[in-house]
Amino acid sequence: DAGECLTIADKQEVWHLEIMGAGKGNKGAVWAAQRVPDDHVSVNANASTIKEIDTNDKEYFMYSDNVFQLALDSGWWDGKQTFRFCYAYAPASRALIAARRREWRVFDLLAPSLQLDPNMENYPFSVKPDTLVSLEKLMTILKDYYEGTEYDIRKNITVKGDSGKMVISPLANPFMNVDELKLHKVNGGWHGYGERNIAVRFTMYATIIQCRDWLPDEIGGLVWFALDNVASSVFVPIYCGVSDLPLEYKTDGRETGFSRKAAWWAFNRLGTLAAQRWGTFRHEIDKTWIPFQEHLLENQATVEQKALQMYNAKNPKNTIKFLTNYTDEWCKKAIDTAWDLGYYIWTKYDGYW
């Protein structure tokens, strides 16, 4: 394994922990961790991002005892140049434009004033956003596929529109498989795979996690959870205090085959249908999911206030029951809506693909 980055967060801090094997034939691991400053955002997109390690700054850096010696012994660092973790242990990852492009995109969406170059080899470990980052903004970023930039892989798949001008074909989609990319002669930062979007068709699930220290844990810990391709999905709230989930969210679908009993299939089916004519179907999806998502976000404060009013630290069962029922209700609504939207698209546009 080339290594892994684990994002570790609690109510006070967020850290990136990068861990790799200890080299061929060696047992154990080597790792480094860097804390994200409280007013910053950081990105890990399948490439190592930890560079210099300040051994005197225990508040922002941690590392394994072997981090320097192993690099020396293995010939991955000469001991003279400045030690940079990513170049000692994962240099190939910094060469991946598919990873770096996503680093750039997140930073550029949140801190456009920095005017970062989309082709840089290295970006800062973290940056301060130009404005406060909302939940809505994070959801939008996770749905992104470089629309409006030169890295949108649909840009050259054009037809003459009703106005007589060339426009992106409604059949062009940002989630093309390898055969479609070959057919349309699409290349990019991911070479024959086009561009590595933030939103991709092979996503299993995505999460946005809130850790809030001004609320009891049962209420303050909240996972916004989306299944399959985020661009055609919706985030539902799952509170830390829930005691159960709908059966559909506990039923495996990917390994056992198509089933209406698995929530994943409702969203995977919708995403697959939407990609067949993205330029048209995306608008049907937006008409459904945007108000659905807005309602959940607008209702969040009211729900949490009710949960807080009934909260008893010694016996929080009423709060747990309330939040479990709320999560259950909206998870089921999301599943039903995904199935219904798929049927609607299938029926209304039969013959358009």
Side-chain angles (χ1 to χ4, degrees):
D1 195 331
E4 191 64 68
C5 175
L6 304 176
T7 299
I8 301 172
D10 63 13
K11 292 176 284 187
Q12 302 296 330
E13 300 176 359
V14 178
W15 289 74
H16 278 184
L17 167 66
E18 296 185 5
I19 184 168
M20 291 86 168
K24 186 176 181 179
N26 296 325
K27 294 181 179 180
V30 61
W31 59 269
Q34 185 169 349
R35 179 181 171 183
V36 181
D38 292 347
D39 58 350
H40 276 215
V41 293
S42 187
V43 183
N44 191 285
N46 301 107
S48 177
T49 61
I50 296 177
K51 302 175 185 68
E52 294 84 358
I53 297 175
D54 186 344
T55 57
N56 295 315
D57 190 350
K58 306 300 183 183
E59 291 294 314
Y60 279 86
F61 292 92
M62 291 188 282
Y63 47 91
S64 58
D65 293 339
N66 61 346
V67 70
F68 300 113
Q69 193 61 48
L70 178 62
L72 273 173
D73 294 344
S74 302
W76 301 330
W77 175 50
D78 62 11
K80 299 176 182 178
Q81 295 182 338
T82 300
F83 178 84
R84 292 191 289 177
F85 184 84
C86 63
Y87 283 104
Y89 292 106
S93 73
R94 294 311 316 157
L96 295 173
I97 189 67
R100 286 155 31 204
R101 188 88 78 214
R102 284 176 288 156
E103 294 173 5
W104 162 77
R105 183 59 167 166
V106 174
F107 287 153
D108 192 59
L109 287 170
L110 293 178
S113 63
L114 296 177
Q115 297 184 319
L116 296 172
D117 184 338
N119 295 303
M120 289 170 60
E121 181 173 328
N122 286 301
Y123 296 96
F125 172 76
S126 64
V127 303
K128 184 175 181 177
D130 289 353
T131 59
L132 291 177
V133 182
S134 65
L135 275 171
E136 295 93 328
K137 185 65 173 180
L138 286 176
M139 291 174 180
T140 299
I141 289 173
L142 290 177
K143 292 175 179 285
D144 187 80
Y145 49 84
Y146 304 120
E147 186 173 24
T149 77
E150 62 182 292
Y151 308 111
D152 185 341
I153 62 174
R154 306 170 303 150
K155 65 181 185 296
N156 294 323
I157 307 174
T158 57
V159 294
K160 186 177 289 187
D162 295 337
S163 66
K165 296 181 179 179
M166 299 303 291
V167 297
I168 293 175
S169 169
L171 292 175
N173 80 81
F175 315 113
M176 288 181 275
N177 60 40
V178 174
D179 291 328
E180 290 175 299
L181 292 167
K182 288 180 179 178
L183 176 66
H184 295 293
K185 298 180 173 60
V186 174
N187 209 315
W190 212 9
H191 307 296
Y193 295 96
E195 289 288 346
R196 177 62 161 86
N197 302 327
I198 295 175
V200 291
R201 60 183 173 82
F202 44 83
T203 297
M204 288 299 296
Y205 65 89
T207 58
I208 298 173
I209 301 173
Q210 292 183 275
C211 306
R212 297 167 293 175
D213 63 357
W214 61 91
L215 291 167
D217 288 347
E218 293 87 346
I219 307 169
L222 172 58
V223 177
W224 292 91
F225 187 80
L227 282 165
D228 202 65
N229 186 345
V230 183
S232 53
S233 190
V234 70
F235 287 89
V236 293
I238 301 177
Y239 281 88
C240 182
V242 302
S243 59
D244 202 359
L245 288 171
L247 177 63
E248 294 88 344
Y249 275 78
K250 298 186 292 183
T251 302
D252 172 53
R254 184 68 180 268
E255 298 297 326
T256 56
F258 180 83
S259 171
R260 283 187 59 92
K261 295 179 180 179
W264 182 79
W265 274 111
F267 293 94
N268 177 262
R269 171 179 173 268
L270 176 60
T272 301
L273 285 172
Q276 307 312 304
R277 193 180 178 91
W278 181 253
T280 301
F281 299 163
R282 62 180 292 187
H283 301 297
E284 299 289 359
I285 287 172
D286 285 348
K287 282 194 296 185
T288 298
W289 285 143
I290 288 177
F292 191 105
Q293 195 73 78
E294 286 177 346
H295 174 83
L296 287 171
L297 292 169
E298 291 169 0
N299 203 40
Q300 182 181 2
T302 301
V303 169
E304 291 173 358
Q305 184 60 34
K306 289 181 180 178
L308 193 59
Q309 288 173 351
M310 65 178 70
Y311 182 75
N312 183 321
K314 294 183 179 180
N315 187 8
K317 64 178 183 180
N318 289 335
T319 296
I320 290 173
K321 181 179 179 180
F322 172 74
L323 292 175
T324 299
N325 289 340
Y326 180 75
T327 290
D328 183 89
E329 175 188 0
W330 284 97
C331 283
K332 288 179 177 176
K333 284 183 177 180
I335 297 168
D336 291 343
T337 302
W339 284 119
D340 290 345
L341 182 53
Y343 286 127
Y344 173 78
I345 289 174
W346 189 288
T347 304
K348 180 178 179 179
Y349 294 99
D350 182 42
Y352 280 77
W353 45 43

